[in-house]
Amino acid sequence: MIATPPGIAPAGSHPRREADHEIVHDPATLIATHALAVSDVARLLRTDAKAGLADAEAAIRLASDGANELEPPGRSSLPALVVRAATEPFVLLLAVAGALAIALGEVRDGILVLFGLVPIVGADVATEYRGERALEELRHASAPRARVRRSGTVYELPAREIVAGDVVVLRVGDVVPADLRVTRTDSMLVDRSVLTGESVPEEATVAPDPPAASLVERRSVLYSGTAVVLGRGEGIAVATGSRSELGRIAGALGASERGRSPLQRELDRLVRILLVVAVGLIALTMGLGLLRGATLGEALLAGISSAIAAIPEEPPVLLAVVLGLGAYRLLRRGVLVRRLNAQETLGAVDLIITDKTGTLTENRLMLVDILSPSGPIVGEHRKQVLNDAVRAEEDAWLSGHGVPRGSFTRAIVAAFAADEPVLDRTDLLASHPPRESRPFSWTRSRRGERIEELALGAPEPVLMLSPASQPEEVEDWHRLVTASANAGRRLLLLSRLTDDGSWEPVALLAFEDRLRSGIPEALRTATSAGIQVIVVTGDHPATAASIAHAAGLDGEEMLTGSRVDAMNDGDLRVAIGHLHVVSRATPQQKLRLVELAQADGRTVAVTGDGVNDAPALERADVGVAMGSGTAVAREAADLVLGDDSFATLMDGLAEGRRIVANVQKGLVFLTSTHVALLGFILVATLAGYGQPLLPIQILWLELFIDLATSVAFEREPAEPDAMQRPPRPAGVPLLDRGLLARIAVAGGATALAALALMAWHDGGLEHARWLAFNVLVFGQLARAYANRSLERPVRSLPRNGFLALACVVAAVIQLAIPYLPPLADAFRASALDAVDLALVALVALTPAALTELVRGRVPGRWVA
């Protein structure tokens, strides 16, 4: 027995009180409507299956139940974004240092430290907020509309206003706006692939399904997000919004949270290392200061200066700016970045699991051949076959009455060019569209003085209409069908009823969904970049193999979905390494491929567009949704392709590699800054200098000089061989031990040179400190430009005018400080004479010049 949904009074009960207007939907009960007769569903939902709800009742239910739309993912408020950015480890460390400085009476230095948090937090908040706003605009732009019958009148209204009990009117091309119990159908076929993965359209029925029927077996319920591909019909809305089957899936997606990205983990690692260094420096500096007779406040202030030098405030800003501007560049290429950190993961992708239709192909059928067993049909005979094929398609007759043409009809009509036939609707006597039990279109129509019957559809069922008395002719057609199918084409067979009452095959129509422009080149780029591509499609193996051949994926193993299901995890993990095509696949199998590849340490990108693709998109390291796909797929993904093309995805991968390379160069530069600072402070402290650098000097170097130059790395173009290198292995840090050692040598050399000049100069401590500080500043400017590549000479690289300008501006301001009294006082700066300037230039340029000589001659990565 089916229970009455809570809040809906059974027949014969008293009228609802005002408080009962809210209809509570129990999913378990609503799903059971597939087993109820239409009259019972209408009674339970208190609606009229023919006239629909009254307008007033619909308004009450809309206010009570809420809009028919998926719950949007939680959008972070502006304060929440600020809190998230302000609690990053780097920011917290810097805030503690600033607060301690203020507590010790160094208010100016402490305020400057805290003021330095503004660009760090602001850049992060701005980029996150912009990304969420872009997605919100995309969601509103794709809001659908629907037709409902209320009080006997059909209205078109936003789909979000549909309520339980509404009678929804459907026709070819409509997307089902809510879960509907079918009440009327006129040869209606529904594509449920976005929900079930089944690519063959299924017939809708009014008769109830068995109570135990699973979701994929139900024909009396149309689910939200599915599409009507043939016929027309009506249904009563039984579940809307988050209560629909689509909403249930979307709700389940929000339960999982993504871990921190590789770069975030690397910055966390850097924080832990430098936190230990900072604590050690504070202890060392304070201890030495106290031993030399300094007060506790003086010793602690010197320790705070050391800690500020150790804390790298710049990396979060560098990352936020590079990723934010990278997202803008990708948007200009048609790629919407929903999660900024996905860009850096793109640089490590070594496996792409992609759809075929619409991603590799144009998703637009074209008629490429008309054949018979005796050969191609050409000339006037071809034109006559085209005319008959149009007359055999039911939707061609109905197109003048608002029924959209199907993809096959559009392809046939396109083959006419300017001579498209005009069909008189009054000539059509009877017809039926393709359906699951009879997969061909049939028409009976007047043609002049005679009556004509034509059939057009799947070759095997159409050939079964032919009489058994012609086995040799039928076998000839079967051989032609097999040969054409093996070429990867989609086929329709046209047959005519002859005067003697038997069916005679006329022509085989061969269609192709051609590759998108640039796909073979994109796949070759993927191969040269060390990225494996697996095409996962629901198509026939022959069609999948043909597309793979055209795209250049020959010579690799192809599996079917059934074979994937039959393999255990160990065998499938081995097979994935040399797999390029999976045909007759389901979304569940796609998800399994993702999980097994990740278990082997692969970094996986996945494309998808359907509701049922969402779990694989969310599970992937980089989920890539199609712009034309479902809202659920877009919400689950990291990137959205505006044009659905695999070639655009490869552009995104190339951009991801450029971004990661530039972040690495920026981190090399910034880390060397801190090595130079720390080395200088440490050795100078040991040598007896109580406070080698002032906090304001350290902040000037870190928050202006370093930020201005490191952010300029975002403009660095990709190196010429970026897409000929293998992907960066997952788990390998950008700053590995070898690179850190080179950074230590480069930064340490600058630190020792600055200390040597400070010790050698006899112009007083203040002037000697200013001279050493200039060595550190100009050494960093030279190092910034010299480290534009770690392997190639800078002279061989394209220009980066923005970085050059940043270096020049920073140098001019640094030289001007002694001549601006307020700044000169704050920095305790003094003018440098010609000898001082020559020494600074010698120390700053020598490491860069030596590195430039080595690069290109000695293999390896060299840090200036």
Side-chain angles (χ1 to χ4, degrees), residues 37-63:
V38 170
S39 58
D40 291 333
V41 174
R43 176 178 57 81
L44 290 174
L45 290 171
R46 287 191 295 278
T47 188
D48 187 317
K50 295 182 179 179
L53 295 170
D55 291 337
E57 176 64 17
I60 292 172
R61 295 190 184 189
L62 180 62

Side-chain angles (χ1 to χ4, degrees), residues 530-573:
I531 301 171
Q532 180 187 355
V533 178
I534 300 178
V535 180
V536 178
T537 175
D539 282 341
H540 187 280
T543 303
S546 174
I547 291 295
H549 175 79
L553 294 177
D554 292 341
E556 299 292 338
E557 182 179 346
M558 181 176 76
L559 297 177
T560 61
S562 59
R563 175 62 181 148
V564 168
D565 283 339
M567 298 174 73
N568 61 44
D569 286 353
D571 291 342
L572 187 54
R573 285 172 71 169

Side-chain angles (χ1 to χ4, degrees), residues 474-487:
V474 172
E475 185 59 31
D476 288 341
W477 284 101
H478 274 298
R479 281 194 290 268
L480 177 62
V481 168
T482 301
S484 298
N486 288 337

Side-chain angles (χ1 to χ4, degrees), residues 740-812:
L740 286 173
R742 290 173 171 82
I743 291 171
V745 170
T750 300
L752 292 175
L755 183 63
L757 286 181
M758 186 174 179
W760 169 79
H761 203 280
D762 57 2
L765 178 61
E766 290 292 339
H767 186 73
R769 180 163 55 187
W770 180 247
L771 178 65
F773 179 63
N774 275 273
V775 168
L776 294 173
V777 169
F778 285 99
Q780 280 306 105
L781 293 178
R783 184 176 289 115
Y785 204 80
N787 285 328
R788 291 179 55 208
S789 173
L790 302 179
E791 298 174 357
R792 295 173 176 271
V794 173
R795 62 183 181 276
S796 69
L797 301 176
R799 293 181 59 190
N800 184 341
F802 193 81
L803 177 57
L805 178 63
C807 291
V808 169
V809 170
V812 169

